[in-house]
Amino acid sequence: MVKRLHSCLLLTGTLLYSAALPLNAQTNSLGKVTTDSLTQDTLFSTPYLHDQVLQTVEVIGRNERSYKNTNSFIGTKTETPLKDIPQSIGYVTKELVRDQGATTVNEVVKNISGVNQYTFYNDFSIRGFRTTGNRNSGNLVNGMRAQTSLWKQQSLANIERVEVIKGPASALFGNAAPGGVINRVTKKPLPYQRNTVSTTVGSFNTLNTYGDFTGPLDKKNTLLYRLNIGYEHTDSYRDLQANTNYIIAPSFSFLPTQRTRFNVDIVYQHTNGKVDRGQPIFGDGDLNSVPISRSLSATNDYLKENLVNITLGVTHKFTDNLSFNATYLNSSYDEDLREHNQANAYVKLADGTQSPSRILMQCLVRQRHFRNNSFNTYFNYNVSTGPVNHRILLGYDYFQMAQQAGSSAMTAGGYLLKDGTTTTAFKPANIAKYVLDKDGNPRTNVPYYDLTSNNNNIERDYSKYIFVSTALSPYLQYSHGIYLQEQMEVGPVKLLLGIRQEIFTDVLNYKTNKETRTTQHAFIPRLGAVVSINKNLNVYGTWVKGFEPQSASVQGNPNTGGPFDPEYSQLLEAGLKGEWFDKRLSTTLSFFHLQKRNTLYNANDANNPELLEQVGEETSKGIELDVAGFILPNWSVVANYAYTHAAITKTATDSEKDFGMQRPNTPRNAFNIWSKYIIQTGTLRNFGFGLGWNAVTKRYGQVGRRENTTIYPGYGLINAALYYRLRNLQVQLNLDNAMNKVYWVGGYDKLRSFPGAPRNIKATVTYKF
């Protein structure tokens, strides 16, 4: 068994390059790759390998070495072929990440249908519904809930692949965002020595350096290690938005017996930069009235973040048919923030009108500390009853997230009053109470941002502001989940049946004399079926419900009007999944209808700007197509298309002004294609090139009930790349936005728009030893 596991690990090891074949490789008539031995030369490696051993937990790398991924754990918590999972699951492999020169999750989501950036942040629209990094319902690491930053995009330095299970995933993971869940799969230790280093330099003073080292620590290959390290820096195309990121990610695997494996993964990440609140424009102007480089930051603003994930896992096989898995994740996030940002308004003049060129500013000083603990354990049992094969999973989850005592914030903003205090609103009838400037207009507490001036991003003196402390009371969220899943196979028919009982508790003002506790229950079913039409094509259908409680910060704020009911969702989906060209190319065509109830929107109450209200129902429906793999051994391709119609479809009065309007930052149509070709013979042997086009139609911003919403125009971007390999060295050149298009990835309103990067170039050198 040890020898078999060693071979499996060797076959599923990750690659250094996808741009060329191994030095000792040959291709047969079917495009398969054969090698004399699986040595370090596989780092240049084969597009795919058919041999596989189904696992009960993801502890090894994947089989393919291309843009195609055959198996996944995210859909069932057991390794299952993607074509046999009755739900659409998108993914981006590390080979595609490397070929496109991407460094963050935001840069690669364009390769997955139905997924779009919502803002600059760790913030996405999936099938029309928002998934953000600061909530525990939309981001997973190796299938476990982890605390992540909202402000900064997640690095891919130690990531094997990015996956998105589309639609609610509550039957497996409990509270989950209705549009989908993003899962980052980390790189795993390998049983052979492999070392790689790479450096990237490029536009905007970009410098990224990575190291990836793995191998055995003993002669019997019972103790394995992997170390990923990274340094990332860019000055950005946005004013004062330089960012530096350090990542250290060691991991270890211990195999004391033939049936037991222990895993330890540690990730430390430190980020030093600023919060980019987006591009502001004139109140009476369009998106082009201000340069896309313009930001609101002051020179001495900062954002410092520390993130630590520690994962302990064990898997044990009692018999060939019964196995046990348990994983514990401790995740911590610390934020130290000082920033200048807009107060969602233009400055008021003495007559009560607003100045379209002066933005009302505020200063925020904040420290927050979050601690997460996740525990997941389940049993897998495989059994046959006559012609029926069963894969039964019984599990229990526990998740806990706490905002620690000591988290605090101070805010300075609004207008100055003669009595030495401030107010957030200006009322012309009471102008005698306000401090006025030389022109007779109310004077702001924090200097306003003048769009007609180039001297806004200067160093600011915080000591001159009048601050008001904001309570960040400690809170605790925790949940218990018990779930049962049956994967049943009868001939060409595969059924997936799942149920889960979720118990979710909010504890506000945790460990204080004002502590309050609210518990919510949800019974979550899941039903799906897959029918094999032939060896290439499966048809599938699914029905699943979702559950997502409102955030503790909203429930605990007396100004929001809560408490509020949880959000409930339901997905109906059907489609076709196929594998073509001897399983080299995969396709998924899906038709979906997704409903969500109880979304919170701002009530647009002038007397209480924090007041929220729950919308009755929102519906998203559409068609998605994904293609990934390679047509020839040296010709890879990924392509996708999504038609998404997502809108408010039912409210209490059905009279809201945006009733039926497309949901924010969700294009009705989105298309993406990327193709890479490597020359295998002749003078240009080992040269390659990549070419891609990414396009979306117009999107709507979000402000209040959006009666004056900003519209972000559609765009199409051309990206290209060149590759060359010489023995153990590869050189790569990426050109993004080749036609230098001006575009916006998303936004909220005229004060907060998020422009995309202009034309930029990156050169990468990678060496293995």
Side-chain angles (χ1 to χ4, degrees):
M1 180 68 183
V2 172
K3 183 177 180 180
R4 184 185 183 195
L5 179 59
H6 178 276
S7 298
C8 180
L9 285 166
L10 188 60
L11 287 171
T12 55
T14 54
L15 299 179
L16 172 60
Y17 303 119
S18 61
L21 297 175
L23 298 178
N24 60 343
Q26 297 178 342
T27 59
N28 62 20
S29 60
L30 296 177
K32 295 181 180 179
V33 178
T34 60
T35 58
D36 297 331
S37 62
L38 286 171
T39 64
Q40 288 192 59
D41 288 334
T42 37
L43 300 176
F44 294 94
S45 184
T46 48
Y48 70 99
L49 292 167
H50 283 307
D51 295 335
Q52 61 180 344
V53 178
L54 289 181
Q55 303 293 314
T56 55
V57 64
E58 184 153 29
V59 295
I60 59 177
R62 64 188 186 87
N63 294 346
E64 287 85 9
R65 276 74 182 255
S66 76
Y67 299 165
K68 178 178 178 287
N69 188 49
T70 298
N71 301 310
S72 176
F73 293 81
I74 190 67
T76 62
K77 287 196 174 180
T78 60
E79 185 174 35
T80 302
L82 282 166
K83 66 180 297 188
D84 293 339
I85 298 175
Q87 198 162 344
S88 180
I89 297 177
Y91 58 84
V92 176
T93 67
K94 68 183 182 305
E95 288 79 17
L96 181 55
V97 169
R98 186 173 296 116
D99 288 348
Q100 293 185 343
T103 58
T104 68
V105 173
N106 294 54
E107 293 177 81
V108 299
V109 294
K110 64 186 177 186
N111 298 293
I112 303 174
S113 65
V115 185
N116 299 276
Q117 293 190 64
Y118 201 98
T119 60
F120 280 155
Y121 311 135
N122 182 18
D123 187 9
F124 306 94
S125 170
I126 305 178
R127 286 185 168 176
F129 295 103
R130 193 176 185 184
T131 295
T132 63
N134 61 330
R135 299 192 67 177
N136 56 52
S137 57
N139 284 262
L140 302 174
V141 176
N142 296 323
M144 300 291 289
R145 299 183 186 277
Q147 187 71 29
T148 58
S149 168
L150 168 64
W151 307 119
K152 295 300 179 181
Q153 302 176 15
Q154 297 303 288
S155 173
L156 298 170
N158 65 318
I159 299 302
E160 172 80 14
R161 69 181 179 273
V162 177
E163 301 175 318
V164 176
I165 180 168
K166 301 178 187 178
S170 297
L172 281 179
F173 301 104
N175 59 303
V181 173
I182 297 176
N183 181 46
R184 287 171 291 140
V185 180
T186 59
K187 296 176 180 177
K188 307 298 190 296
L190 302 176
Y192 54 86
Q193 198 69 36
R194 196 195 74 184
N195 303 308
T196 66
V197 292
S198 67
T199 297
T200 299
V201 295
S203 303
F204 322 125
N205 197 30
T206 295
L207 173 61
N208 300 325
T209 299
Y210 303 103
D212 185 357
F213 312 98
T214 187
L217 290 173
D218 64 346
K219 293 182 179 180
K220 295 183 178 180
N221 288 352
T222 60
L223 182 60
L224 313 176
Y225 81 96
R226 190 159 192 166
L227 175 63
N228 282 275
I229 57 176
Y231 169 83
E232 301 170 334
H233 175 84
T234 180
D235 285 346
S236 178
Y237 57 98
R238 304 267 301 141
D239 296 339
L240 293 182
Q241 296 306 315
N243 188 75
T244 301
N245 196 30
Y246 301 91
I247 299 170
I248 303 174
S251 57
F252 303 91
S253 294
F254 177 50
L255 294 78
T257 71
Q258 297 180 359
R259 295 181 177 271
T260 305
R261 182 183 185 109
F262 294 93
N263 296 290
V264 179
D265 295 275
I266 302 171
V267 179
Y268 169 77
Q269 182 173 332
H270 173 75
T271 300
N272 193 351
K274 295 179 175 65
V275 174
D276 190 344
R277 292 287 183 170
Q279 170 204 13
I281 62 174
F282 288 90
D284 55 358
D286 61 23
L287 289 167
N288 296 295
S289 62
V290 171
I292 63 170
S293 60
R294 191 74 63 87
S295 79
L296 296 168
S297 297
T299 299
N300 51 334
D301 288 349
Y302 59 78
L303 170 65
K304 299 177 182 179
E305 297 177 308
N306 284 307
L307 175 68
V308 179
N309 288 337
I310 302 173
T311 306
L312 307 176
V314 59
T315 178
H316 178 72
K317 296 192 72 172
F318 297 99
T319 69
D320 289 341
N321 295 320
L322 178 63
S323 63
F324 166 76
N325 303 279
T327 306
Y328 167 74
L329 170 64
N330 178 273
S331 180
S332 64
Y333 170 78
D334 297 286
E335 173 193 82
D336 185 4
L337 170 66
R338 186 171 73 180
E339 66 160 337
H340 285 77
N341 61 60
Q342 46 75 28
N344 296 337
Y346 292 91
V347 170
K348 291 292 185 67
L349 302 178
D351 60 1
T353 62
Q354 68 177 18
S355 169
S357 64
R358 299 177 180 180
I359 298 172
L360 185 64
M361 297 291 290
Q362 62 184 12
C363 178
L364 173 64
V365 179
R366 184 175 67 195
Q367 289 198 1
R368 293 190 297 177
H369 310 281
F370 293 96
R371 299 295 181 265
N372 289 12
N373 290 278
S374 300
F375 177 71
N376 177 28
T377 183
Y378 53 90
F379 289 88
N380 288 97
Y381 182 56
N382 300 332
V383 65
S384 296
T385 55
V388 183
N389 296 321
H390 306 267
R391 298 176 68 188
I392 300 171
L393 182 146
L394 176 63
Y396 165 76
D397 287 342
Y398 176 76
F399 170 73
Q400 178 190 91
M401 181 184 77
Q403 178 172 274
Q404 301 288 93
S407 298
S408 59
M410 297 190 303
T411 305
Y415 299 92
L416 295 172
L417 297 176
K418 292 180 178 178
D419 64 3
T421 62
T422 64
T423 179
T424 57
F426 172 68
K427 298 179 179 180
N430 299 326
I431 193 171
K433 296 181 180 180
Y434 291 81
V435 177
L436 305 180
D437 63 18
K438 61 182 179 60
D439 297 320
N441 296 313
R443 185 177 171 186
T444 58
N445 182 14
V446 177
Y448 59 76
Y449 190 103
D450 186 355
L451 290 171
T452 65
S453 171
N454 293 321
N455 296 317
N456 295 284
N457 305 113
I458 61 175
E459 185 168 341
R460 299 291 183 178
D461 187 352
Y462 296 85
S463 65
K464 294 182 178 180
Y465 304 158
I466 298 174
F467 283 92
V468 177
S469 295
T470 302
L472 295 181
S473 300
Y475 66 79
L476 174 70
Q477 291 181 323
Y478 62 90
S479 67
H480 299 271
I482 300 174
Y483 54 95
L484 176 66
Q485 176 181 276
E486 156 79 297
Q487 292 173 269
M488 184 187 307
E489 182 175 354
V490 188
V493 179
K494 300 177 178 66
L495 298 177
L496 190 152
L497 310 172
I499 56 173
R500 182 185 183 98
Q501 180 63 52
E502 184 80 4
I503 305 171
F504 189 95
T505 302
D506 275 314
V507 184
L508 305 178
N509 300 304
Y510 182 50
K511 292 184 178 180
T512 72
N513 56 8
K514 297 181 179 180
E515 181 176 299
T516 60
R517 189 178 300 261
T518 303
T519 300
Q520 303 170 74
H521 298 77
F523 177 75
I524 307 165
R526 182 188 189 190
L527 173 63
V530 178
V531 179
S532 297
I533 304 301
N534 53 47
K535 67 177 183 178
N536 298 113
L537 187 64
N538 287 357
V539 61
Y540 75 93
T542 193
W543 170 73
V544 62
K545 287 197 169 184
F547 163 75
E548 185 178 18
Q550 306 294 348
S551 67
S553 58
V554 168
Q555 298 281 51
N557 186 346
N559 297 323
T560 60
F564 298 102
D565 293 332
E567 295 178 354
Y568 294 102
S569 56
Q570 176 177 270
L571 171 69
L572 293 171
E573 182 179 320
L576 300 167
K577 296 187 178 184
E579 290 184 318
W580 317 95
F581 300 108
D582 193 31
K583 297 187 177 183
R584 298 195 305 264
L585 190 74
S586 69
T587 60
T588 299
L589 175 64
S590 59
F591 303 84
F592 68 90
H593 187 276
L594 177 60
Q595 289 181 315
K596 183 176 75 162
R597 293 183 288 119
N598 297 334
T599 302
L600 287 176
Y601 278 86
N602 192 285
N604 210 23
D605 186 336
N607 296 319
N608 182 8
E610 295 183 81
L611 184 66
L612 302 175
E613 61 180 359
Q614 288 192 291
V615 172
E617 181 183 273
E618 295 172 288
T619 301
S620 175
K621 52 188 176 182
I623 303 171
E624 296 171 347
L625 174 65
D626 289 273
V627 179
F630 58 102
I631 300 171
L632 297 173
N634 59 328
W635 183 10
S636 299
V637 65
V638 62
N640 61 79
Y641 168 75
Y643 169 81
T644 309
H645 183 197
I648 297 174
T649 51
K650 185 184 295 184
T651 68
T653 62
D654 285 349
S655 62
E656 276 75 2
K657 294 181 180 180
D658 63 342
F659 181 79
M661 182 183 289
Q662 183 83 347
R663 281 185 54 82
N665 297 301
T666 301
R668 187 70 58 92
N669 295 277
F671 175 78
N672 175 73
I673 185 169
W674 171 268
S675 184
K676 180 196 69 176
Y677 186 84
I678 302 298
I679 300 171
Q680 293 184 297
T681 60
T683 305
L684 298 179
R685 181 177 180 268
N686 291 332
F687 270 100
F689 59 89
L691 186 65
W693 185 55
N694 171 234
V696 301
T697 53
K698 70 178 181 181
R699 290 131 299 133
Y700 293 93
Q702 177 179 326
V703 52
R705 302 303 294 164
R706 299 196 294 142
E707 60 270 23
N708 297 311
T709 188
T710 300
I711 298 178
Y712 300 102
Y715 60 84
L717 306 178
I718 295 176
N719 304 309
L722 294 174
Y723 313 94
Y724 179 66
R725 176 179 62 82
L726 179 63
R727 296 188 179 89
N728 294 345
L729 183 73
Q730 175 164 298
V731 179
Q732 175 176 329
L733 193 67
N734 288 87
L735 176 65
D736 294 333
N737 191 4
M739 305 306 293
N740 203 28
K741 293 278 189 178
V742 177
Y743 68 102
W744 287 262
V745 300
Y748 300 102
D749 49 44
K750 290 191 172 185
L751 294 169
R752 296 172 293 175
S753 297
F754 298 91
R759 181 192 296 122
N760 62 95
I761 191 168
K762 291 179 287 188
T764 302
V765 177
T766 306
Y767 182 72
K768 79 167 182 72
F769 58 96

